Amino acid sequence: MNDYYLLGRSGLRVSRLALGTMNFGTGGFHAAYGKTAAEAEPIFRRYVEAGGNLVDTADFYTAGESESILGKLLPGVRDRLVLTSKFTNTVDPTDPNAGGNGRKHMIRAVEASLRRLGTDYLDLYLLHTWDRITPVEEVVRTFDDLVRAGKIRYAGLSDVPAWYAARAQTFAEAHALTPMVTVQLPYSLVARDIEAEFPAMATTLGLGLTAWSPIGGGLLTGKYQRSGAGLSGEGRLGGQRAVSEREWRIVEELSKVSAELGRSMAEVAVNWVATQPAVGSVIVGASSVAQLDGNLSALTFSIPASLRARLDAVSAPVLGPPYSMFTPSYQSWIVSPGLGIGDKPAGYQPPVWNAA
Ligand SMILES: NC(=O)c1ccc[n+]([C@@H]2O[C@H](COP(=O)([O-])OP(=O)(O)OC[C@H]3O[C@@H](n4cnc5c(N)ncnc54)[C@H](OP(=O)(O)O)[C@@H]3O)[C@@H](O)[C@H]2O)c1
């Protein structure tokens, strides 16, 4: 765990495995699988003791409890952590400006997060979800104001379209405003949709991807069994998630590959995400210290190329045109491969489906 990456084009060093705290607290949307403060504390302490520094929360998680619980755990370790929170979701359904990504809500939200966390700055502040309304220029400018006001150190985005992130970064660059250092997105063997746009965008524009739900909320641990169109088994997904045939094929192949490697399925699933192009850090969640330990060991081994190819193949996203046109075979119609200009700049890693 003493292995830190720079997040995007920045000087911020972050653990390659971040701690997700969406399940810290028992209120709000995440109540069904939330943990009490007493249950959350050892998970947090273990992460920090193992050398982790990137802690992810949001004002929305467990209706603010996640931040309040963290606030009580921070004294003594706050400065060494890269404390991340997010805004977007409403904190008052009767007030149209108490949610969304407008300047008024952004400023109110950061003040409220700082109060709950008991700190006077956030290391990283993220727009949680695109609201489809607020101009990107307003968001970028407000991030810049928050940096200048000393409320946040770095800015980033979560769950936005790639064009929006690209526009934000380009606008920031053109006007010498605070750049985005990360885009936080769902990414796992069962969720590879982001590969169509994001790794290339992130690599080109200096953003580090941070991946959420790397084990599909528990699906990729092997602890669930088929039950009709869904699953059964102990855990937060039990009885409430439909699972497709494609997903079961991925789970089955992951099970075989993990057995051949002598590693748990969760370790292999987390390792796979962490070593995908453009990924800066992977946000793991845990219900217990034992689960966390099981995930923190995910980067202590390498997945051999032949086994990785099997995981890539079974989970390959199915993409139509224009994405299916960005392959060497199509590109050879543009410039003859014999002319030798097919190589990409150092550091560029094409998405895996481009192998054909
Ligand atoms: N930006 C966003 O929109 C967004 C969205 C979602 C999450 N996030 C962030 O990403 C973090 C991680 O998300 P996630 O919790 O969905 O990630 P995940 O790592 O895919 O799933 C974690 C869950 O899987 C189970 N689990 C974890 N390790 C296990 C192990 N070794 N063996 C068996 N079961 C295990 C636990 O649930 P059970 O014990 O109940 O099975 C745990 O809560 C969140 O805490 C949050 O910080 C961000």
Side-chain angles (χ1 to χ4, degrees):
M1 279 290 284
N2 292 320
D3 185 16
Y4 305 93
Y5 272 11
L6 290 170
L7 192 56
R9 193 187 298 140
S10 81
L12 184 66
R13 294 173 173 85
V14 298
S15 302
R16 295 180 65 198
L17 298 180
L19 178 66
T21 64
M22 181 173 76
N23 62 341
F24 282 19
T26 55
F29 179 72
H30 309 91
Y33 56 92
K35 302 292 158 203
T36 63
E39 291 168 324
E41 177 166 2
I43 298 171
F44 174 84
R45 299 264 181 243
R46 175 70 193 121
Y47 175 74
V48 175
E49 175 195 298
N53 77 349
L54 183 54
V55 175
D56 184 76
T57 185
D59 57 359
F60 180 59
Y61 293 164
T62 55
E65 276 186 47
S66 173
E67 289 183 328
S68 302
I69 290 173
L70 282 174
K72 297 206 171 57
L73 299 174
L74 290 176
V77 293
R78 195 269 163 267
D79 282 338
R80 63 156 292 127
L81 296 182
V82 176
L83 186 59
T84 306
S85 194
K86 321 184 193 79
F87 65 92
T88 291
N89 294 304
T90 184
V91 291
D92 177 358
T94 67
D95 176 357
N97 283 311
N101 299 328
R103 166 179 285 254
K104 181 171 166 65
H105 180 59
M106 274 181 81
I107 294 173
R108 171 180 172 168
V110 77
E111 296 290 2
S113 287
L114 293 175
R115 272 195 299 276
R116 280 188 293 269
L117 287 159
T119 184
D120 54 7
Y121 71 99
L122 290 171
D123 296 280
L124 182 56
Y125 199 38
L126 307 183
L127 174 154
H128 203 152
T129 314
W130 184 38
D131 66 5
R132 303 188 300 161
I133 292 168
T134 312
V136 70
E137 297 81 358
E138 181 174 334
V139 174
V140 172
R141 189 58 218 238
T142 309
F143 271 136
D144 191 68
D145 291 344
L146 292 176
V147 169
R148 285 166 204 264
K151 306 278 182 190
I152 68 171
R153 300 292 184 258
Y154 293 90
L157 305 166
S158 154
D159 304 337
V160 296
W163 70 260
Y164 183 94
R167 171 74 182 156
Q169 193 70 325
T170 309
F171 178 78
E173 201 169 280
H175 298 279
L177 300 173
T178 298
M180 306 299 107
V181 296
T182 189
V183 187
Q184 191 180 115
L185 297 161
Y187 197 17
S188 73
L189 281 164
V190 287
R192 294 181 56 184
D193 298 330
I194 69 153
E195 289 179 16
E197 295 272 3
F198 285 92
M201 186 274 296
T203 308
T204 306
L205 298 181
L207 293 143
L209 300 185
T210 37
W212 59 261
S213 289
I215 58 170
L219 179 66
L220 295 171
T221 64
K223 67 182 179 180
Y224 293 107
Q225 300 79 46
R226 284 172 193 257
S227 175
L231 46 68
S232 62
E234 279 297 304
R236 78 187 205 208
L237 302 181
Q240 41 174 336
R241 188 189 190 283
V243 185
S244 66
E245 275 309 311
R246 176 179 172 276
E247 288 177 310
W248 283 123
R249 279 197 299 279
I250 295 168
V251 171
E252 281 153 21
E253 191 67 8
L254 174 63
S255 167
K256 289 180 197 155
V257 165
S258 305
E260 285 178 44
L261 264 169
R263 293 286 175 169
S264 74
M265 290 169 64
E267 284 179 306
V268 177
V270 171
N271 184 306
W272 182 88
V273 181
T275 51
Q276 281 295 98
V279 173
S281 187
V282 175
I283 314 171
V284 297
S287 297
S288 64
V289 172
Q291 281 187 2
L292 180 68
D293 278 336
N295 301 341
L296 294 185
S297 51
L299 298 182
T300 57
F301 64 97
S302 300
I303 304 175
S306 60
L307 297 184
R308 188 175 195 101
R310 281 166 51 190
L311 295 174
D312 289 347
V314 72
S315 62
V318 180
L319 295 164
Y323 302 107
S324 55
M325 298 168 72
F326 308 142
T327 60
S329 51
Y330 266 94
Q331 300 279 307
S332 68
W333 297 350
I334 300 171
V335 177
S336 165
L339 294 179
I341 58 169
D343 292 328
K344 295 287 192 270
Y348 177 90
Q349 290 181 271
V352 287
W353 69 80
N354 281 0

Short mmCIF file of all heavy atoms in Angstrom, two decimals, residues 239-294:
data_model
loop_
_atom_site.label_atom_id
_atom_site.label_comp_id
_atom_site.label_asym_id
_atom_site.label_seq_id
_atom_site.Cartn_x
_atom_site.Cartn_y
_atom_site.Cartn_z
N GLY A 239 -30.71 -10.77 -3.29
CA GLY A 239 -32.13 -10.67 -3.60
C GLY A 239 -32.54 -9.44 -4.37
O GLY A 239 -33.70 -9.32 -4.76
N GLN A 240 -31.63 -8.49 -4.61
CA GLN A 240 -32.12 -7.27 -5.23
C GLN A 240 -31.41 -6.85 -6.51
O GLN A 240 -31.63 -5.75 -6.99
CB GLN A 240 -32.12 -6.12 -4.24
CG GLN A 240 -30.93 -6.03 -3.35
CD GLN A 240 -31.00 -4.75 -2.53
OE1 GLN A 240 -31.64 -3.81 -2.93
NE2 GLN A 240 -30.36 -4.73 -1.39
N ARG A 241 -30.61 -7.71 -7.08
CA ARG A 241 -29.94 -7.28 -8.31
C ARG A 241 -30.20 -8.31 -9.40
O ARG A 241 -29.98 -9.51 -9.19
CB ARG A 241 -28.44 -7.16 -8.07
CG ARG A 241 -27.66 -6.54 -9.24
CD ARG A 241 -26.18 -6.67 -8.95
NE ARG A 241 -25.32 -5.95 -9.85
CZ ARG A 241 -25.00 -6.32 -11.08
NH1 ARG A 241 -25.54 -7.42 -11.61
NH2 ARG A 241 -24.15 -5.62 -11.80
N ALA A 242 -30.67 -7.84 -10.55
CA ALA A 242 -30.80 -8.75 -11.69
C ALA A 242 -29.39 -8.99 -12.24
O ALA A 242 -28.57 -8.07 -12.27
CB ALA A 242 -31.68 -8.12 -12.76
N VAL A 243 -29.09 -10.22 -12.63
CA VAL A 243 -27.76 -10.52 -13.16
C VAL A 243 -27.94 -11.17 -14.53
O VAL A 243 -28.68 -12.15 -14.67
CB VAL A 243 -26.99 -11.47 -12.22
CG1 VAL A 243 -25.57 -11.68 -12.73
CG2 VAL A 243 -26.96 -10.92 -10.79
N SER A 244 -27.29 -10.63 -15.54
CA SER A 244 -27.44 -11.15 -16.90
C SER A 244 -26.57 -12.40 -17.09
O SER A 244 -25.64 -12.64 -16.34
CB SER A 244 -27.03 -10.07 -17.91
OG SER A 244 -25.64 -9.83 -17.79
N GLU A 245 -26.88 -13.13 -18.15
CA GLU A 245 -26.06 -14.31 -18.50
C GLU A 245 -24.61 -13.90 -18.74
O GLU A 245 -23.67 -14.58 -18.38
CB GLU A 245 -26.61 -14.99 -19.75
CG GLU A 245 -27.74 -15.96 -19.47
CD GLU A 245 -27.40 -16.98 -18.37
OE1 GLU A 245 -26.33 -17.60 -18.42
OE2 GLU A 245 -28.22 -17.12 -17.44
N ARG A 246 -24.44 -12.76 -19.40
CA ARG A 246 -23.09 -12.25 -19.68
C ARG A 246 -22.33 -12.04 -18.36
O ARG A 246 -21.16 -12.41 -18.24
CB ARG A 246 -23.21 -10.94 -20.46
CG ARG A 246 -21.90 -10.27 -20.73
CD ARG A 246 -22.07 -8.98 -21.54
NE ARG A 246 -20.80 -8.29 -21.61
CZ ARG A 246 -20.34 -7.49 -20.66
NH1 ARG A 246 -21.07 -7.24 -19.58
NH2 ARG A 246 -19.16 -6.92 -20.78
N GLU A 247 -23.01 -11.44 -17.38
CA GLU A 247 -22.34 -11.19 -16.09
C GLU A 247 -21.97 -12.51 -15.40
O GLU A 247 -20.89 -12.62 -14.83
CB GLU A 247 -23.24 -10.34 -15.20
CG GLU A 247 -23.33 -8.89 -15.66
CD GLU A 247 -24.29 -8.06 -14.82
OE1 GLU A 247 -25.44 -8.51 -14.59
OE2 GLU A 247 -23.91 -6.97 -14.40
N TRP A 248 -22.87 -13.51 -15.48
CA TRP A 248 -22.52 -14.80 -14.86
C TRP A 248 -21.33 -15.43 -15.55
O TRP A 248 -20.49 -16.05 -14.90
CB TRP A 248 -23.72 -15.77 -14.86
CG TRP A 248 -24.76 -15.46 -13.82
CD1 TRP A 248 -26.09 -15.22 -14.03
CD2 TRP A 248 -24.57 -15.38 -12.41
NE1 TRP A 248 -26.73 -14.98 -12.84
CE2 TRP A 248 -25.83 -15.08 -11.83
CE3 TRP A 248 -23.47 -15.51 -11.56
CZ2 TRP A 248 -26.01 -14.91 -10.44
CZ3 TRP A 248 -23.64 -15.34 -10.18
CH2 TRP A 248 -24.89 -15.05 -9.65
N ARG A 249 -21.23 -15.26 -16.89
CA ARG A 249 -20.06 -15.80 -17.60
C ARG A 249 -18.78 -15.13 -17.10
O ARG A 249 -17.74 -15.77 -16.94
CB ARG A 249 -20.20 -15.59 -19.13
CG ARG A 249 -21.08 -16.62 -19.82
CD ARG A 249 -20.85 -16.62 -21.33
NE ARG A 249 -21.16 -15.37 -21.98
CZ ARG A 249 -22.39 -14.97 -22.32
NH1 ARG A 249 -23.42 -15.75 -22.10
NH2 ARG A 249 -22.59 -13.80 -22.92
N ILE A 250 -18.86 -13.82 -16.84
CA ILE A 250 -17.69 -13.10 -16.33
C ILE A 250 -17.33 -13.62 -14.94
O ILE A 250 -16.15 -13.89 -14.64
CB ILE A 250 -17.96 -11.57 -16.30
CG1 ILE A 250 -18.16 -11.05 -17.72
CG2 ILE A 250 -16.84 -10.83 -15.58
CD1 ILE A 250 -18.72 -9.64 -17.80
N VAL A 251 -18.34 -13.80 -14.10
CA VAL A 251 -18.09 -14.30 -12.74
C VAL A 251 -17.43 -15.69 -12.82
O VAL A 251 -16.46 -15.98 -12.11
CB VAL A 251 -19.42 -14.37 -11.93
CG1 VAL A 251 -19.21 -15.09 -10.60
CG2 VAL A 251 -19.97 -12.96 -11.71
N GLU A 252 -17.94 -16.53 -13.71
CA GLU A 252 -17.40 -17.89 -13.82
C GLU A 252 -15.95 -17.89 -14.32
O GLU A 252 -15.09 -18.61 -13.79
CB GLU A 252 -18.29 -18.74 -14.75
CG GLU A 252 -19.54 -19.22 -14.02
CD GLU A 252 -20.74 -19.48 -14.95
OE1 GLU A 252 -20.51 -19.69 -16.17
OE2 GLU A 252 -21.89 -19.45 -14.45
N GLU A 253 -15.67 -17.06 -15.30
CA GLU A 253 -14.28 -17.00 -15.81
C GLU A 253 -13.35 -16.41 -14.75
O GLU A 253 -12.22 -16.89 -14.56
CB GLU A 253 -14.23 -16.17 -17.09
CG GLU A 253 -12.91 -16.27 -17.85
CD GLU A 253 -12.63 -17.65 -18.44
OE1 GLU A 253 -13.51 -18.53 -18.40
OE2 GLU A 253 -11.50 -17.86 -18.92
N LEU A 254 -13.82 -15.40 -14.05
CA LEU A 254 -13.02 -14.80 -12.97
C LEU A 254 -12.73 -15.84 -11.90
O LEU A 254 -11.61 -15.91 -11.37
CB LEU A 254 -13.77 -13.60 -12.38
CG LEU A 254 -13.14 -12.94 -11.15
CD1 LEU A 254 -11.77 -12.34 -11.47
CD2 LEU A 254 -14.07 -11.84 -10.59
N SER A 255 -13.71 -16.67 -11.61
CA SER A 255 -13.53 -17.72 -10.61
C SER A 255 -12.41 -18.67 -11.03
O SER A 255 -11.52 -19.02 -10.25
CB SER A 255 -14.87 -18.46 -10.43
OG SER A 255 -14.67 -19.64 -9.72
N LYS A 256 -12.43 -19.06 -12.31
CA LYS A 256 -11.40 -20.00 -12.81
C LYS A 256 -10.03 -19.34 -12.81
O LYS A 256 -9.03 -19.93 -12.37
CB LYS A 256 -11.74 -20.44 -14.24
CG LYS A 256 -12.94 -21.37 -14.31
CD LYS A 256 -13.19 -21.77 -15.76
CE LYS A 256 -14.60 -22.33 -15.92
NZ LYS A 256 -15.14 -22.21 -17.25
N VAL A 257 -9.95 -18.12 -13.31
CA VAL A 257 -8.66 -17.42 -13.38
C VAL A 257 -8.09 -17.22 -11.96
O VAL A 257 -6.90 -17.43 -11.73
CB VAL A 257 -8.83 -16.06 -14.11
CG1 VAL A 257 -7.64 -15.15 -13.89
CG2 VAL A 257 -9.06 -16.30 -15.60
N SER A 258 -8.94 -16.85 -11.03
CA SER A 258 -8.49 -16.61 -9.66
C SER A 258 -7.97 -17.90 -9.04
O SER A 258 -6.94 -17.90 -8.34
CB SER A 258 -9.64 -16.07 -8.80
OG SER A 258 -10.18 -14.93 -9.38
N ALA A 259 -8.66 -19.00 -9.32
CA ALA A 259 -8.20 -20.30 -8.79
C ALA A 259 -6.82 -20.64 -9.35
O ALA A 259 -5.93 -21.09 -8.63
CB ALA A 259 -9.23 -21.39 -9.12
N GLU A 260 -6.62 -20.39 -10.64
CA GLU A 260 -5.31 -20.68 -11.25
C GLU A 260 -4.22 -19.80 -10.67
O GLU A 260 -3.06 -20.22 -10.53
CB GLU A 260 -5.38 -20.49 -12.78
CG GLU A 260 -6.13 -21.62 -13.45
CD GLU A 260 -6.26 -21.42 -14.96
OE1 GLU A 260 -5.27 -21.05 -15.61
OE2 GLU A 260 -7.37 -21.65 -15.49
N LEU A 261 -4.58 -18.59 -10.29
CA LEU A 261 -3.60 -17.66 -9.72
C LEU A 261 -3.39 -17.90 -8.21
O LEU A 261 -2.45 -17.36 -7.63
CB LEU A 261 -4.10 -16.22 -9.89
CG LEU A 261 -3.59 -15.45 -11.08
CD1 LEU A 261 -4.38 -14.16 -11.24
CD2 LEU A 261 -2.11 -15.12 -10.90
N GLY A 262 -4.32 -18.62 -7.60
CA GLY A 262 -4.26 -18.81 -6.15
C GLY A 262 -4.59 -17.54 -5.39
O GLY A 262 -4.07 -17.27 -4.30
N ARG A 263 -5.48 -16.74 -5.96
CA ARG A 263 -5.90 -15.48 -5.35
C ARG A 263 -7.42 -15.45 -5.24
O ARG A 263 -8.11 -16.19 -5.93
CB ARG A 263 -5.45 -14.30 -6.23
CG ARG A 263 -3.96 -14.13 -6.28
CD ARG A 263 -3.46 -13.57 -4.98
NE ARG A 263 -2.03 -13.48 -4.89
CZ ARG A 263 -1.38 -12.82 -3.94
NH1 ARG A 263 -2.06 -12.22 -2.97
NH2 ARG A 263 -0.08 -12.78 -3.91
N SER A 264 -7.94 -14.58 -4.39
CA SER A 264 -9.39 -14.49 -4.29
C SER A 264 -9.94 -13.76 -5.52
O SER A 264 -9.21 -13.00 -6.19
CB SER A 264 -9.80 -13.72 -3.03
OG SER A 264 -9.56 -12.35 -3.21
N MET A 265 -11.22 -13.96 -5.79
CA MET A 265 -11.83 -13.28 -6.94
C MET A 265 -11.82 -11.77 -6.75
O MET A 265 -11.58 -11.02 -7.70
CB MET A 265 -13.26 -13.79 -7.13
CG MET A 265 -13.31 -15.22 -7.64
SD MET A 265 -14.97 -15.94 -7.59
CE MET A 265 -15.87 -14.91 -8.74
N ALA A 266 -12.05 -11.32 -5.51
CA ALA A 266 -12.04 -9.87 -5.25
C ALA A 266 -10.67 -9.29 -5.55
O ALA A 266 -10.55 -8.22 -6.17
CB ALA A 266 -12.45 -9.59 -3.81
N GLU A 267 -9.62 -9.98 -5.13
CA GLU A 267 -8.26 -9.47 -5.38
C GLU A 267 -8.00 -9.33 -6.88
O GLU A 267 -7.44 -8.32 -7.34
CB GLU A 267 -7.21 -10.44 -4.82
CG GLU A 267 -7.03 -10.40 -3.32
CD GLU A 267 -5.98 -11.42 -2.89
OE1 GLU A 267 -6.12 -12.61 -3.25
OE2 GLU A 267 -5.03 -11.03 -2.20
N VAL A 268 -8.39 -10.34 -7.63
CA VAL A 268 -8.12 -10.32 -9.08
C VAL A 268 -8.96 -9.23 -9.75
O VAL A 268 -8.48 -8.50 -10.62
CB VAL A 268 -8.37 -11.70 -9.71
CG1 VAL A 268 -8.16 -11.66 -11.22
CG2 VAL A 268 -7.44 -12.74 -9.07
N ALA A 269 -10.22 -9.11 -9.30
CA ALA A 269 -11.10 -8.09 -9.91
C ALA A 269 -10.55 -6.69 -9.65
O ALA A 269 -10.55 -5.84 -10.54
CB ALA A 269 -12.52 -8.23 -9.34
N VAL A 270 -10.09 -6.44 -8.43
CA VAL A 270 -9.55 -5.11 -8.09
C VAL A 270 -8.24 -4.87 -8.85
O VAL A 270 -8.01 -3.79 -9.40
CB VAL A 270 -9.35 -4.97 -6.57
CG1 VAL A 270 -8.58 -3.69 -6.23
CG2 VAL A 270 -10.70 -4.98 -5.84
N ASN A 271 -7.40 -5.89 -8.89
CA ASN A 271 -6.12 -5.77 -9.60
C ASN A 271 -6.36 -5.43 -11.06
O ASN A 271 -5.70 -4.55 -11.63
CB ASN A 271 -5.35 -7.09 -9.46
CG ASN A 271 -3.97 -7.02 -10.09
OD1 ASN A 271 -3.83 -6.69 -11.25
ND2 ASN A 271 -2.94 -7.36 -9.32
N TRP A 272 -7.32 -6.12 -11.68
CA TRP A 272 -7.62 -5.89 -13.11
C TRP A 272 -7.96 -4.42 -13.34
O TRP A 272 -7.43 -3.78 -14.25
CB TRP A 272 -8.76 -6.80 -13.56
CG TRP A 272 -9.08 -6.65 -15.02
CD1 TRP A 272 -8.52 -7.32 -16.07
CD2 TRP A 272 -10.04 -5.73 -15.59
NE1 TRP A 272 -9.06 -6.87 -17.26
CE2 TRP A 272 -9.99 -5.90 -17.00
CE3 TRP A 272 -10.91 -4.79 -15.05
CZ2 TRP A 272 -10.80 -5.16 -17.86
CZ3 TRP A 272 -11.71 -4.05 -15.91
CH2 TRP A 272 -11.65 -4.24 -17.31
N VAL A 273 -8.83 -3.84 -12.51
CA VAL A 273 -9.23 -2.44 -12.70
C VAL A 273 -8.03 -1.51 -12.48
O VAL A 273 -7.78 -0.60 -13.28
CB VAL A 273 -10.36 -2.02 -11.74
CG1 VAL A 273 -10.75 -0.56 -11.98
CG2 VAL A 273 -11.57 -2.90 -11.89
N ALA A 274 -7.30 -1.76 -11.40
CA ALA A 274 -6.20 -0.85 -11.03
C ALA A 274 -5.12 -0.79 -12.11
O ALA A 274 -4.40 0.19 -12.19
CB ALA A 274 -5.60 -1.28 -9.70
N THR A 275 -5.02 -1.84 -12.91
CA THR A 275 -3.97 -1.90 -13.92
C THR A 275 -4.50 -1.64 -15.34
O THR A 275 -3.79 -1.90 -16.31
CB THR A 275 -3.24 -3.26 -13.85
OG1 THR A 275 -4.22 -4.31 -13.87
CG2 THR A 275 -2.42 -3.38 -12.57
N GLN A 276 -5.71 -1.14 -15.43
CA GLN A 276 -6.25 -0.74 -16.74
C GLN A 276 -5.69 0.64 -17.11
O GLN A 276 -5.35 1.44 -16.23
CB GLN A 276 -7.78 -0.68 -16.68
CG GLN A 276 -8.45 -2.04 -16.77
CD GLN A 276 -8.23 -2.71 -18.11
OE1 GLN A 276 -7.36 -3.56 -18.25
NE2 GLN A 276 -9.01 -2.32 -19.11
N PRO A 277 -5.61 0.95 -18.42
CA PRO A 277 -5.08 2.24 -18.85
C PRO A 277 -5.80 3.42 -18.21
O PRO A 277 -7.03 3.39 -18.07
CB PRO A 277 -5.36 2.23 -20.36
CG PRO A 277 -5.41 0.79 -20.73
CD PRO A 277 -5.98 0.08 -19.54
N ALA A 278 -5.05 4.42 -17.79
CA ALA A 278 -5.54 5.70 -17.27
C ALA A 278 -6.08 5.66 -15.85
O ALA A 278 -6.50 6.68 -15.32
CB ALA A 278 -6.59 6.32 -18.20
N VAL A 279 -6.10 4.47 -15.22
CA VAL A 279 -6.66 4.40 -13.87
C VAL A 279 -5.62 4.84 -12.84
O VAL A 279 -4.52 4.28 -12.77
CB VAL A 279 -7.15 2.97 -13.54
CG1 VAL A 279 -7.57 2.85 -12.07
CG2 VAL A 279 -8.31 2.60 -14.46
N GLY A 280 -5.97 5.86 -12.06
CA GLY A 280 -5.07 6.35 -11.03
C GLY A 280 -5.29 5.65 -9.71
O GLY A 280 -4.35 5.31 -8.99
N SER A 281 -6.55 5.41 -9.37
CA SER A 281 -6.85 4.77 -8.09
C SER A 281 -8.19 4.05 -8.19
O SER A 281 -9.06 4.42 -8.98
CB SER A 281 -6.90 5.84 -6.98
OG SER A 281 -7.04 5.23 -5.72
N VAL A 282 -8.32 3.01 -7.37
CA VAL A 282 -9.54 2.20 -7.34
C VAL A 282 -10.16 2.35 -5.95
O VAL A 282 -9.48 2.16 -4.94
CB VAL A 282 -9.19 0.72 -7.61
CG1 VAL A 282 -10.42 -0.16 -7.45
CG2 VAL A 282 -8.62 0.59 -9.01
N ILE A 283 -11.44 2.67 -5.91
CA ILE A 283 -12.10 2.92 -4.61
C ILE A 283 -12.78 1.64 -4.14
O ILE A 283 -13.77 1.20 -4.72
CB ILE A 283 -13.14 4.04 -4.72
CG1 ILE A 283 -12.57 5.23 -5.48
CG2 ILE A 283 -13.59 4.47 -3.33
CD1 ILE A 283 -13.61 6.28 -5.81
N VAL A 284 -12.22 1.04 -3.10
CA VAL A 284 -12.80 -0.19 -2.59
C VAL A 284 -13.71 0.12 -1.40
O VAL A 284 -13.45 1.03 -0.62
CB VAL A 284 -11.71 -1.22 -2.17
CG1 VAL A 284 -10.88 -1.65 -3.38
CG2 VAL A 284 -10.81 -0.68 -1.09
N GLY A 285 -14.78 -0.65 -1.30
CA GLY A 285 -15.68 -0.54 -0.16
C GLY A 285 -15.56 -1.81 0.65
O GLY A 285 -15.17 -2.85 0.12
N ALA A 286 -15.86 -1.75 1.93
CA ALA A 286 -15.78 -2.96 2.76
C ALA A 286 -16.77 -2.86 3.91
O ALA A 286 -17.01 -1.79 4.46
CB ALA A 286 -14.35 -3.12 3.29
N SER A 287 -17.32 -4.04 4.27
CA SER A 287 -18.23 -4.12 5.41
C SER A 287 -17.49 -4.48 6.68
O SER A 287 -18.07 -4.43 7.76
CB SER A 287 -19.27 -5.22 5.18
OG SER A 287 -20.07 -4.92 4.10
N SER A 288 -16.24 -4.91 6.56
CA SER A 288 -15.49 -5.36 7.73
C SER A 288 -13.99 -5.22 7.46
O SER A 288 -13.58 -5.07 6.29
CB SER A 288 -15.79 -6.84 8.00
OG SER A 288 -15.32 -7.61 6.90
N VAL A 289 -13.21 -5.32 8.52
CA VAL A 289 -11.75 -5.26 8.37
C VAL A 289 -11.26 -6.46 7.54
O VAL A 289 -10.37 -6.33 6.70
CB VAL A 289 -11.06 -5.23 9.75
CG1 VAL A 289 -9.55 -5.37 9.60
CG2 VAL A 289 -11.40 -3.93 10.47
N ALA A 290 -11.89 -7.61 7.75
CA ALA A 290 -11.47 -8.80 6.99
C ALA A 290 -11.67 -8.58 5.50
O ALA A 290 -10.78 -8.90 4.69
CB ALA A 290 -12.26 -10.03 7.46
N GLN A 291 -12.81 -8.03 5.11
CA GLN A 291 -13.03 -7.73 3.69
C GLN A 291 -12.01 -6.72 3.18
O GLN A 291 -11.45 -6.87 2.09
CB GLN A 291 -14.44 -7.16 3.48
CG GLN A 291 -15.55 -8.17 3.46
CD GLN A 291 -16.88 -7.52 3.07
OE1 GLN A 291 -16.95 -6.33 2.78
NE2 GLN A 291 -17.94 -8.31 3.07
N LEU A 292 -11.77 -5.69 3.97
CA LEU A 292 -10.81 -4.66 3.54
C LEU A 292 -9.44 -5.28 3.32
O LEU A 292 -8.79 -5.04 2.30
CB LEU A 292 -10.73 -3.53 4.57
CG LEU A 292 -9.76 -2.41 4.19
CD1 LEU A 292 -10.28 -1.62 2.98
CD2 LEU A 292 -9.51 -1.47 5.36
N ASP A 293 -9.00 -6.08 4.28
CA ASP A 293 -7.69 -6.73 4.13
C ASP A 293 -7.65 -7.57 2.86
O ASP A 293 -6.64 -7.60 2.15
CB ASP A 293 -7.40 -7.62 5.35
CG ASP A 293 -6.85 -6.79 6.52
OD1 ASP A 293 -6.28 -5.71 6.26
OD2 ASP A 293 -6.99 -7.23 7.67
N GLY A 294 -8.77 -8.24 2.58
CA GLY A 294 -8.85 -9.06 1.38
C GLY A 294 -8.68 -8.24 0.12
O GLY A 294 -8.21 -8.72 -0.90
#
